[in-house]
Amino acid sequence: MSMFCFQCQEAAKGTGCEIRGVCGKEPETAALQDLLIYTLKGIAQVAGPARMQGKPLPEADQAIMRGLFMTITNANFDNDVFVATIIESLAIRDKLKGELGSLVPSKLHDASTFTILDSAKMQEKGEKVGVMLTKNEDIRSLRELIIIGLKGMAAYAYHADHLAEQDESVLQFMYKALLSTLDDSLSVDDLVALTLETGAKGVSVMALLDKANTESYGNPEITEVNIGTGSNPGILISGHDLRDMESLLKQTEGTGVDVYTHSEMLPANYYPSFKKYSHFVGNYGNAWWKQDKEFASFNGPILMTTNCITPPKASYIDRMYTTGAAGYPGVKILSAKLDNGDKDFSAVIEAAKKCAPPVEIETGSIIGGFAHAQVLALADKVVAAVKSGAIKRFFVMAGCDGRMKGRDYYSEFAKELPDDTVILTAGCAKYRYNKLPLGDIGGIPRVLDAGQCNDSYSLAVTALKLKEVFELNDINDLPISYNIAWYEQKAVIVLLALLSLGVKDIHLGPTLPAFLSPNVAHVLIENFGIAGIGEVEDDIKLFMGA
């Protein structure tokens, strides 16, 4: 069996995974993921006209958000879950046909009419309706760029929804965009316009999630986060879902079990609401790709609320749990809920009580919490430093970390930056430099961590505020350069969001996306100045105008 997947930065040979995913995804899983996306396109065609007219379709909304999220790199590898989800999605699609009547288009695509309930036949169908179904290279590239952006958008919308926040325009756009990928009448220009609209909705969904998080848990504060360990058994929580974080802290209170964050959950340490829990010890470890060693040494249970999962080792798979859209074969899935709607983590807590405390792998602390509210509170100090020349330039180094050796570039880049520069970061890319002794400028740390990948919105808000303060007409006139690392689909929606805000000359690495055809890449280069990375010394000279 063969596959084709080129949605992440690790695409084999820089073109695409054809035998097995570098992430660990098997061909069978790839086919089921492709079929799920195809099924969601069918839901979008059946329900799109009604949804565009404002008709509430919460069941379909949930299916689209969760389905897109499940197919993000390293989120879910469980074939049984995908089979069940496809069957559920087909049932929703066909139920809508009956309920919506004349609002359903008279001519339906195969994605809206096929029915397969057998897993083996699903895999056969999935092999036929994947990425390569679109023959024209440029149309395929743009369709996939939109789909990949939608996956990132759905992840953020899913988390906001978990906190009871929705944006009707974002939900409606998901139907429109999915449907567009079935429309052979759309030209390259049409799809380029839709790609930029995807970016604009990316800004909207990140603003939505920012609102959901801050209204629920307060604005992130400058925080010194412990990276050592305590003497109690612990639970390690990773991912992006702050409601799951809150629920775990509540349920572990008074149990003698401590809670630690890992990778993307590190920014939970910055929220005021979580600081009241004395058993919230701090952060353990580094970026997602080091979990094979760090999960083993942690000793206690690991709770994955979202991606990024790497194939678990035998040393800890029996104490690993997933919830929400995440999953892996042989890993326990938590779906039971308490009366208040929170997920029931009692099984994780009971397992933790039987485990040894985590092995300490480092000591000390790191500083974060520089989301937009906190940075704007320091605006006068920042502006004064810029005007005095103490700060010459800001570098946005947001995005993702990953396994590729070439990512050492970002550590070296941070080390070699002049002492009068400041790094603005969000996402797990920060693990390449957030523990380096880079110092501060007049009390302003040289690494300002805004939080998770969705908190790249904070960096955009900060840039727009500085544009206003300095009375500039163009955001690109600010002393800000963009050198962004990417890995998966949430980073792509961040990139598209920045482009929709007019940001130009973004450098993207460690490699350019495999899903960009030469012609589409040319459009991005010509219109937006998108570029790759080179040698550290040369790039710094370029950015600094030397």
Side-chain angles (χ1 to χ4, degrees):
M1 180 180 291
S2 61
M3 61 179 280
F4 187 81
C5 181
F6 60 178
Q7 70 177 2
C8 85
Q9 186 273 321
E10 287 185 326
K13 300 178 182 178
T15 56
C17 296
E18 299 181 350
I19 299 172
R20 183 175 185 266
V22 173
C23 66
K25 181 166 62 177
E26 298 292 346
E28 296 85 354
T29 310
L32 291 171
Q33 289 187 357
D34 286 342
L35 185 60
L36 176 55
I37 295 297
Y38 191 70
T39 306
L40 299 181
K41 293 179 182 181
I43 292 177
Q45 184 180 47
V46 168
R51 204 65 187 83
M52 292 304 105
Q53 294 178 29
K55 184 174 179 60
L57 298 173
E59 191 176 24
D61 292 349
Q62 291 291 328
I64 286 175
M65 281 191 290
R66 184 170 183 269
L68 286 166
F69 191 8
M70 286 173 63
T71 63
I72 277 183
T73 303
N74 290 344
N76 203 312
F77 298 78
D78 195 325
N79 291 353
D80 290 343
V81 172
F82 281 108
V83 169
T85 304
I86 290 167
I87 292 172
E88 291 167 7
S89 299
L90 290 172
I92 290 169
R93 184 199 68 186
D94 293 342
K95 179 182 174 185
L96 289 170
K97 288 179 187 176
E99 293 177 349
L100 298 176
S102 61
L103 290 175
V104 177
S106 56
K107 292 185 178 180
L108 293 176
H109 190 277
D110 175 68
S112 304
T113 60
F114 88 94
T115 297
I116 296 175
L117 304 180
D118 175 77
S119 61
K121 291 181 179 178
M122 282 183 186
Q123 288 171 13
E124 292 176 12
K125 180 75 171 178
E127 290 176 34
K128 297 174 182 175
V129 299
V131 170
M132 304 306 288
L133 179 64
T134 302
K135 302 305 178 186
N136 181 290
E137 183 183 31
D138 296 330
I139 297 293
R140 177 170 68 239
S141 177
L142 287 165
R143 283 179 172 177
E144 292 309 309
L145 180 53
I146 290 166
I147 291 292
I148 287 167
L150 284 178
K151 290 184 178 188
M153 187 187 303
Y156 297 150
Y158 181 93
H159 292 313
D161 182 73
H162 200 194
L163 292 170
E165 291 286 349
Q166 293 185 339
D167 183 326
E168 181 68 7
S169 70
V170 169
L171 293 171
Q172 289 184 5
F173 179 76
M174 288 184 185
Y175 289 79
K176 172 184 174 180
L178 280 169
L179 180 55
S180 76
T181 63
L182 296 177
D183 188 349
D184 293 329
S185 72
L186 296 181
S187 66
V188 165
D189 287 343
D190 294 330
L191 291 171
V192 168
L194 192 62
T195 299
L196 291 179
E197 189 178 356
T198 304
K201 293 303 178 186
V203 176
S204 298
V205 77
M206 285 191 283
L208 177 74
L209 183 51
D210 179 81
K211 176 176 181 284
N213 287 340
T214 56
E215 288 189 355
S216 298
Y217 308 118
N219 283 301
E221 303 168 335
I222 298 175
T223 305
E224 192 170 335
V225 181
N226 174 43
I227 58 175
T229 59
S231 57
N232 294 329
I235 294 172
L236 189 61
I237 178 171
S238 188
H240 305 74
D241 198 311
L242 293 185
R243 183 173 174 184
D244 283 351
M245 180 72 197
E246 176 189 36
S247 182
L248 181 65
L249 287 170
K250 286 181 178 177
Q251 293 179 46
T252 47
E253 196 167 24
T255 64
V257 173
D258 290 338
V259 173
Y260 298 77
T261 57
H262 187 268
S263 191
E264 281 285 354
M265 195 57 86
L266 163 63
N269 289 273
Y270 312 153
Y271 285 89
S273 289
F274 300 147
K275 293 182 180 182
K276 66 185 179 184
Y277 295 97
S278 60
H279 64 295
F280 184 13
V281 174
N283 189 72
Y284 188 87
N286 298 276
W288 60 272
W289 60 277
K290 293 187 176 181
Q291 63 188 246
D292 58 340
K293 293 181 175 61
E294 293 172 353
F295 286 5
S297 64
F298 184 75
N299 288 332
I302 301 104
L303 175 61
M304 300 296 296
T305 65
T306 61
N307 63 321
C308 298
I309 298 172
T310 65
K313 302 291 186 183
S315 58
Y316 60 83
I317 190 171
D318 62 330
R319 49 186 171 84
M320 191 168 171
Y321 299 79
T322 64
T323 189
Y328 197 92
V331 173
K332 294 172 279 293
I333 302 171
L334 300 173
S335 55
K337 292 188 176 182
L338 304 175
D339 292 341
N340 66 357
D342 286 353
K343 294 169 188 172
D344 183 354
F345 296 132
S346 58
V348 189
I349 297 166
E350 290 307 309
K353 292 177 180 178
K354 302 172 185 175
C355 295
V359 174
E360 192 165 74
I361 55 176
E362 57 189 339
T363 59
S365 62
I366 48 178
I367 296 177
F370 294 93
H372 58 89
Q374 185 66 78
V375 174
L376 296 183
L378 298 172
D380 291 344
K381 192 173 185 179
V382 172
V383 170
V386 173
K387 288 182 175 178
S388 71
I391 295 178
K392 287 286 196 307
R393 181 159 288 273
F394 297 92
F395 283 84
V396 173
M397 294 176 66
C400 313
D401 197 9
R403 291 170 280 219
M404 181 177 281
K405 183 172 175 53
R407 288 180 182 270
D408 290 344
Y409 164 93
Y410 294 100
S411 299
E412 293 306 312
F413 188 91
K415 290 177 186 176
E416 296 300 322
L417 278 175
D419 291 341
D420 53 8
T421 61
V422 171
I423 295 170
L424 304 174
T425 191
C428 62
K430 61 176 160 275
Y431 285 104
R432 288 286 168 173
Y433 39 80
N434 69 339
K435 296 174 183 177
L436 297 176
L438 298 180
D440 64 90
I441 300 174
I444 301 170
R446 289 194 56 229
V447 177
L448 302 182
D449 174 24
Q452 295 180 337
C453 51
N454 51 281
D455 291 313
S456 297
Y457 170 76
S458 277
L459 306 183
V461 170
T462 299
L464 292 170
K465 182 63 177 178
L466 289 174
K467 171 176 170 278
E468 176 188 326
V469 169
F470 288 111
E471 299 180 340
L472 299 174
N473 294 320
D474 189 340
I475 195 171
N476 296 293
D477 291 335
L478 285 166
I480 299 178
S481 297
Y482 295 80
N483 194 8
I484 295 176
W486 81 287
Y487 176 75
E488 42 92 325
Q489 297 75 62
K490 295 194 293 293
V492 174
I493 192 61
V494 170
L495 172 66
L496 295 180
L498 291 173
L499 296 182
S500 77
L501 291 171
V503 176
K504 294 186 177 181
D505 299 326
I506 296 172
H507 286 240
L508 193 64
T511 58
L512 291 178
F515 50 78
L516 296 180
S517 69
N519 287 332
V520 172
H522 180 73
V523 169
L524 293 178
I525 292 167
E526 287 294 304
N527 293 341
F528 301 101
I530 293 288
I533 59 173
E535 296 298 321
V536 168
E537 185 177 351
D538 294 338
D539 285 352
I540 289 177
K541 287 180 180 178
L542 175 66
F543 284 124
M544 298 300 294

